Amino acid sequence: MTRVWGEDAAALVAAGADAAALAALEDGLLDGFALPAGPRWDAHTHLGRDADGHALDTAGLVADMDRWGVAGAVAFPANEPGDDGSFTVANDAVLAAAAAHPGRIVPVCRADPRAGWAAAVDRAAAGGARGLKLHPVAQGFAPESPECVACVAAATALGWPVLFHAGFGARRLAGPFRDLAAAVPGARLILAHGARGDARAVREAFAGHPGVWFDTSLAALPDLVELPPGRLVWGSDRPYGEHGTALQLVALAARVAGWSPSEVAGVLGGNLLALLGEPA
Amino acid sequence: MTRSEAVRLVAALGAVEMALVRRDPVAGPLLAQAARAAAGLPPGPYVSAAAALARAVELHGPGPGAAAARKAAQALCRAAAQAAQGAALA
């Protein structure tokens, strides 16, 4: 399948769109930018089919990575918790994808702190998972709740980073994540989307905090340029976002904030590899 | 691009994004308006292409074609908004 702006070109053509013109525009997205040559690692991708219809399979993710020069990606399930809410089937699918693409897909499991998370985490850990993704909005829990604290503590005990959705949502984020970080010393938290759901307060709450990183997926440029590049990990949020504008965002942030080439290389891969304990 | 041109475009694209996410039929007219705001500016081709998609495809409609067009339009608008924000912050 050929993709244009993250979507199936054939579907666009069938709908009446000029896919060739769209592809030409996309090909020029990074013109005028000089991104460093270091490895690109995507901290935020979903595999499977979300309840809202977004879908990405393993072959599609790998094809996207190849097209955009992405060496590796952290992948976790879409929002498909299954009938029991445990994400077991979806986590198994991500583990299988990683097993089929060793060194390119790093499996991260997903859980619901209110529904069978302990068994799900144990099963995923036994299968080779390397981290945990939690979505307080989709699963309807509070980051500072006792069940979430227990879930994050278990992941931390396994040596896992925990990536939280921190984008769209009604609740404040700074206080809850501050409480969570205090409750689980040593936790390594990655707040997705540059914590755009409460960016100013989160930035003030976690300035210099050693246990908090931010992913750039679908983040807002004004938020990213006010965060230290050493705490940023690049992400696409495939299939909700796509790699082209995800790279454009980092390129623009680097230009606006004046990041050095080594800082940009860290954002695009080095910082995540260090978090995962992978060689750079 | 002047700062006021960039801010105007970012505001217009913010309304477009919400309409696209909500599958609101107003996305097409909002895209046309945003395309006028972007005309002649560096992000203009992205918004123009998104507006063309809205003319070719019923973005709020059902089916895989409409879904792909809706998402592609979102990505095009994201590219334009990011470029405009970059200009405003420079």
Side-chain angles (χ1 to χ4, degrees):
Chain A
M1 176 192 298
T2 301
R3 282 198 173 83
V4 182
W5 294 92
E7 301 306 308
D8 177 8
L12 289 168
V13 169
D18 183 346
L22 292 172
L25 259 185
E26 188 181 39
D27 287 342
L29 250 181
L30 300 177
D31 288 354
F33 296 106
L35 290 173
R40 294 174 182 170
W41 269 76
D42 188 338
H44 192 138
T45 72
H46 301 259
L47 289 172
R49 177 172 292 278
D50 194 291
D52 67 9
H54 287 86
L56 183 65
D57 62 19
T58 307
L61 174 60
V62 172
D64 289 344
M65 292 162 63
D66 289 343
R67 179 181 172 198
W68 291 97
V70 179
V74 165
F76 35 80
N79 188 31
E80 43 181 358
D83 292 341
D84 64 356
S86 71
F87 285 94
T88 299
V89 173
N91 285 335
D92 285 353
V94 170
L95 291 167
H101 297 276
R104 296 209 71 192
I105 296 178
V106 171
V108 161
C109 69
R110 195 158 162 173
D112 181 347
R114 304 168 312 148
W117 65 266
V121 165
D122 285 348
R123 180 184 176 93
R130 305 275 300 279
L132 176 65
K133 157 73 184 290
L134 296 174
H135 200 306
V137 178
Q139 270 60 63
F141 64 89
E144 75 279 26
S145 63
E147 55 268 29
C148 183
V149 167
C151 191
V152 170
T156 300
L158 288 165
W160 288 357
V162 183
L163 188 147
F164 273 90
H165 170 80
F168 173 78
R171 296 187 78 239
R172 293 181 178 181
L173 299 177
F177 281 120
R178 189 171 49 223
D179 292 347
L180 172 63
V184 189
R188 295 181 299 156
L189 308 178
I190 304 171
L191 306 184
H193 318 307
R196 71 183 297 168
D198 195 7
R200 290 172 62 210
V202 168
R203 186 178 66 249
E204 290 169 12
F206 289 108
H209 192 291
V212 175
W213 288 259
F214 300 85
D215 91 28
T216 68
S217 68
L218 298 183
L221 181 63
D223 297 335
L224 289 191
V225 300
E226 294 188 345
L227 290 166
R231 310 308 292 180
L232 296 177
V233 293
W234 175 65
S236 69
D237 202 7
R238 289 292 295 141
Y240 304 90
E242 31 65 56
H243 287 110
T245 61
L247 288 167
Q248 179 210 26
L249 177 62
V250 169
L252 284 163
R255 178 177 288 175
V256 169
W259 296 341
S260 69
S262 66
E263 287 173 329
V264 181
V267 173
L268 289 176
N271 298 343
L272 178 63
L273 290 171
L275 251 174
L276 294 171
E278 294 274 342
Chain B
M1 185 170 13
T2 66
R3 197 158 287 174
S4 62
E5 288 169 337
V7 169
R8 180 184 301 113
L9 181 54
V10 168
L13 291 169
V16 171
E17 180 185 16
M18 191 50 61
L20 288 170
V21 169
R22 295 176 61 85
R23 304 184 188 185
D24 191 317
V26 80
L30 287 173
L31 264 171
Q33 180 175 302
R36 289 193 295 276
L41 304 177
Y46 302 126
V47 192
S48 175
L53 268 178
R55 290 192 298 273
V57 186
E58 201 167 64
L59 294 180
H60 59 281
R70 194 165 52 242
K71 290 291 296 180
Q74 279 183 257
L76 286 157
C77 289
R78 188 159 54 245
Q82 290 177 172
Q85 288 172 335
L89 292 168

